[in-house]
């Protein structure tokens, strides 16, 4: 499948911003099942320069500064991405660097602290599965069954313990719950950000989406989408991954001035 994805982030300020420093993680990753055919980043007001680098997790990061006064700030990324069916990794032989990379995703992180309640929550699924992959899939089904998708129920600052108690939220919450439940049992799990094709069958298709990748020593990294109870395939476009949402925030930065602001995010993914 060939997709065109347009991700637009708009900030409107009540007063003038004298200047801002920002960074964006909006470049789709190049993977065995995903190829980036074209990509363009537009920033308004235009920065003097856009610098590119790789972060610790191998994600592409675009950094820029806007040094002129402005009341509105827009960052728009347009991508042309080819997504191929995922090949089976059965019989995967892990290398030392694979194991070392996985080790970074076993420990608590800022948005995913260690919680005894999460360890207990995961036990039925982990005891039900006959392998690590099947246990992770059982946990995905359990979260999908137990949680309600409610866009206004949480904010990104909502503590994970509160999300677990209320059993509702959005894709970031579903992903953080699954990651926390797995890490509580010392299973490596990472947070994946990306997009969904614009089908009504998927929750979260009109915004940035999030799912989970689990390291299985015999098979490598396997993706699970607890929000939609599916194993990601050609309808999922991968942008970045990290320990939690904080590592892959699409656009973030600091401003001087501006006062209160409103934020609008629009994501459109269409077959090309």
């Amino acid at each position: 499948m060939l997709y065109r994805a347009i991700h637009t982030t708009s900030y409107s300020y009540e007063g003038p911003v004298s200047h801002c420093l920002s960074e964006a993680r909006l470049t789709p990753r190049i993977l065995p099942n995903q190829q980036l055919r074209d990509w363009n980043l537009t920033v308004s007001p235009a920065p003097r320069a856009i610098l590119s680098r790789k972060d610790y997790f191998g994600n592409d990061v675009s950094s820029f500064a806007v040094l002129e006064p402005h009341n509105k700030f827009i960052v728009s990324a347009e991508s042309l991405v080819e997504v191929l069916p995922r090949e089976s990794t059965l019989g995967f032989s892990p290398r030392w660097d694979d194991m070392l990379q996985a080790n970074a995703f076993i420990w608590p992180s800022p948005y995913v602290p260690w919680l005894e309640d999460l360890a207990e929550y995961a036990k039925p699924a982990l005891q039900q599965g006959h392998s690590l992959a099947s246990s992770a899939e059982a946990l995905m089904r359990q979260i999908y069954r137990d949680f309600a998708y409610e866009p206004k129920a949480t904010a990104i600052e909502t503590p994970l313990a509160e999300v677990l108690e209320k059993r509702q939220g959005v894709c970031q919450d579903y992903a953080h719950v699954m990651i926390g439940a797995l890490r509580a049992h010392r299973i490596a799990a990472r947070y994946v950000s990306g997009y969904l094709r614009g089908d009504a069958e998927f929750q979260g298709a009109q915004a940035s989406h999030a799912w989970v990748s689990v390291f299985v020593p015999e098979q490598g990294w396997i993706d699970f989408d607890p929000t939609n109870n599916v194993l990601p395939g050609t309808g999922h476009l991968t942008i970045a991954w990290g320990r939690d949402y904080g590592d892959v925030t699409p656009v973030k930065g600091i401003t001087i001035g501006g006062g209160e602001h409103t934020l609008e995010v629009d994501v459109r993914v269409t077959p090309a």
Side-chain angles (χ1 to χ4, degrees), residues 22 24 30 35 64 66 68 74 83 90 92 106-107 116 127 131 142 148 150 161 163 175 182 231 240 253 267:
S22 303
I30 297 175
Q35 297 299 312
F64 43 87
V66 175
E68 64 179 85
I74 301 174
V83 183
L90 192 61
F92 170 81
I106 293 176
W107 312 104
E116 179 64 36
Q127 293 169 353
S131 66
Q142 180 177 318
E150 295 289 348
V163 174
L182 291 167
L231 273 65
V267 176

Side-chain angles (χ1 to χ4, degrees), residues 203-222:
Q203 292 277 20
Q206 301 304 318
S208 293
H209 192 54
W211 58 95
V212 178
S213 194
V214 180
F215 186 72
V216 179
E218 302 81 14
Q219 295 178 260
W221 290 97
I222 302 177

Side-chain angles (χ1 to χ4, degrees), residues 11 18-19 21 54 60 62 68 70 77 79 99 101 112 153 156 182 184 190 213 221-222 231 264-265:
Y11 292 89
S18 60
H19 61 274
L21 304 175
K54 297 279 188 183
D60 286 292
S62 302
E68 64 179 85
H70 56 278
S79 311
M99 303 298 291
Q101 182 191 64
V112 186
I156 191 60
L182 291 167
R190 65 191 182 193
S213 194
W221 290 97
I222 302 177
L231 273 65
E264 294 182 3
V265 178

Side-chain angles (χ1 to χ4, degrees), residues 215-234:
F215 186 72
V216 179
E218 302 81 14
Q219 295 178 260
W221 290 97
I222 302 177
D223 286 4
F224 301 88
D225 182 351
T227 306
N228 293 292
N229 196 31
V230 298
L231 273 65
T234 56

Side-chain angles (χ1 to χ4, degrees), residues 53-66:
R53 65 178 176 87
K54 297 279 188 183
D55 67 12
Y56 176 82
F57 303 105
N59 304 309
D60 286 292
V61 183
S62 302
S63 302
F64 43 87
V66 175

Side-chain angles (χ1 to χ4, degrees), residues 177-196:
V177 166
M178 184 169 178
I179 290 169
L182 291 167
R183 289 182 188 167
H185 291 270
R186 292 296 183 261
I187 298 170
R190 65 191 182 193
Y191 184 103
V192 185
S193 70
Y195 307 137
L196 292 173

